[in-house]
Amino acid sequence: MTARSTRCTTAAKTRTSRLAAVAAIAVAGSVLLTACGDQTDSGSTKEGGTAANSAPLFSKLPADIQKAGVIKVGTDASYAPMEFTENGKIVGVDPDIAAALAKQLGVKLEFTSGTFDGLITGLESGRHSLVMSSMTDNKKRQEGLDDDGKKIGKGVDFVDYFSSGVSLLVKKGNPQGINSLDDLCGKTVAVQRGTIYEDTFKAQATKCGANKLTIQAFDTDAEAQTRVKAGGAVADLNDYPVAAYIAKTSGGGNDFEVVGNQTDVGLMGIAVSKDDTQLRDAVKEALDAIIKDGTYAEALKKWDVEDSAVKSATINAGK
């Protein structure tokens, strides 16, 4: 279902399913991004705002963004193929979609990476204007609620751009015979803190009851993967595209495998402050434009995630 939840802070993060994966790359030894809730490496699309900007949707942007010529985007670049760091640059599905959006909007979309559970906090504080990080659109995030339904923030709006389910990632060969969440009872699992994946494991732990499910939560999914690879946990949980990418690339395809069926299929969204409806609506219009002109499909095809395409942009359509 995709889309991570929230991290380092404790703001409700559900990346709900969010393609989460410093993927095999992190496990294989790539750069781990560990800045707590904040910035790390950054990358940007190219366009540029000027008074005479002729981009189709430049005039739809807020005046301050038109003047700056840039939209700052928060991400957790540890979820290949959605967003990850390669040779010091943030790359992946989301940056490629952002590059297409930039051509419609006529400004740069500049990515800065931090821990997932700090991204919504960064949006609320004005550190960035968008969050594009495989974040699941759900009512909890829309309304600014924690796991217990307590109000902890204003909430955010989402421009929904991707659809996916979540899948279990286990050690190659599946030595524990894991094929569903029910098979995890009495065992230990690893997961990234603040994500919807952690929420899924918590719900399963309640279901397991006395046959205790032990959950080990980490700041990054790469750490969770490492735990599974070492045999300290039997499974990790990720958005299907991320899990599939990890299984395909980590250790040359010899470290992990995906088991069971996809569950919790849902929408991922680009998060925007509820106070910034003009930017939200401009991004939605830009997304519809790139869906129509085919550049959106090209970005998804490049990373083999075409099955997760949406037919049109929606706002707060997650449940």
Side-chain angles (χ1 to χ4, degrees):
M1 164 168 168
T2 82
R4 316 153 173 180
S5 277
T6 315
R7 312 171 200 183
C8 201
T9 294
T10 309
K13 157 205 174 180
T14 307
R15 241 188 200 205
T16 43
S17 132
R18 109 125 225 349
L19 293 157
V22 157
I25 296 185
V27 173
S30 290
V31 177
L32 293 180
L33 305 179
T34 56
C36 190
D38 289 343
Q39 59 297 338
T40 307
D41 300 289
S42 65
S44 64
T45 63
K46 293 182 179 179
E47 263 315 296
T50 68
N53 197 304
S54 61
L57 299 175
F58 181 74
S59 64
K60 299 293 184 73
L61 291 169
D64 59 335
I65 290 179
Q66 291 184 30
K67 183 178 180 180
V70 63
I71 300 174
K72 294 184 178 180
V73 184
T75 195
D76 173 2
S78 64
Y79 287 85
M82 296 304 289
E83 51 268 326
F84 60 102
T85 301
E86 185 174 75
N87 298 322
K89 181 180 179 181
I90 297 173
V91 298
V93 178
D94 284 352
D96 283 356
I97 292 175
L101 294 174
K103 291 181 179 179
Q104 293 293 323
L105 297 169
V107 296
K108 294 186 293 184
L109 269 67
E110 184 177 87
F111 281 72
T112 300
S113 183
T115 54
F116 188 82
D117 63 357
L119 295 179
I120 288 180
T121 300
L123 188 67
E124 293 174 342
S125 69
R127 184 178 302 125
H128 37 257
S129 297
L130 300 176
V131 170
M132 200 167 182
S133 192
S134 307
M135 183 173 283
T136 297
D137 174 6
N138 57 37
K139 296 300 182 183
K140 193 163 61 175
R141 285 175 174 152
Q142 292 172 22
E143 298 172 9
L145 306 177
D146 66 12
D147 291 342
D148 298 320
K150 180 181 177 181
K151 189 77 171 176
I152 58 174
K154 292 187 300 183
V156 298
D157 284 338
F158 287 98
V159 178
D160 302 313
Y161 70 103
F162 199 84
S163 176
S164 179
V166 298
S167 295
L168 288 164
L169 187 71
V170 302
K171 192 171 182 178
K172 189 73 172 182
N174 194 10
Q176 297 295 320
I178 305 299
N179 291 297
S180 70
L181 290 171
D182 288 339
D183 294 332
L184 300 174
C185 295
K187 297 179 172 60
T188 297
V189 294
V191 70
Q192 183 175 18
R193 186 177 294 109
T195 60
I196 59 166
Y197 317 122
E198 184 180 15
D199 294 341
T200 297
F201 278 156
K202 287 179 178 178
Q204 182 61 35
T206 298
K207 185 177 179 181
C208 289
N211 191 12
K212 186 179 179 181
L213 169 61
T214 300
I215 302 169
Q216 297 179 347
F218 299 90
D219 283 341
T220 69
D221 187 63
E223 293 173 282
Q225 293 170 38
T226 299
R227 190 66 173 159
V228 173
K229 182 179 177 181
V234 300
D236 182 15
L237 191 65
N238 273 304
D239 292 306
Y240 173 73
V242 174
Y245 184 87
I246 296 169
K248 179 180 179 180
T249 59
S250 182
N254 296 314
D255 291 341
F256 303 102
E257 64 182 81
V258 177
V259 297
N261 298 318
Q262 288 189 57
T263 60
D264 299 331
V265 176
L267 292 168
M268 291 181 188
I270 301 169
V272 191
S273 169
K274 285 190 175 295
D275 296 329
D276 210 346
T277 56
Q278 186 177 356
L279 176 59
R280 179 200 67 193
D281 293 345
V283 171
K284 178 185 181 298
E285 194 168 343
L287 179 58
D288 274 327
I290 66 173
I291 290 173
K292 184 177 181 179
D293 71 17
T295 52
Y296 169 79
E298 290 174 7
L300 269 58
K301 183 177 181 180
K302 174 181 175 180
W303 298 99
D304 297 321
V305 293
E306 301 101 308
D307 289 346
S308 291
V310 296
K311 294 182 179 180
S312 64
T314 53
I315 293 177
N316 296 335
K319 298 179 180 180

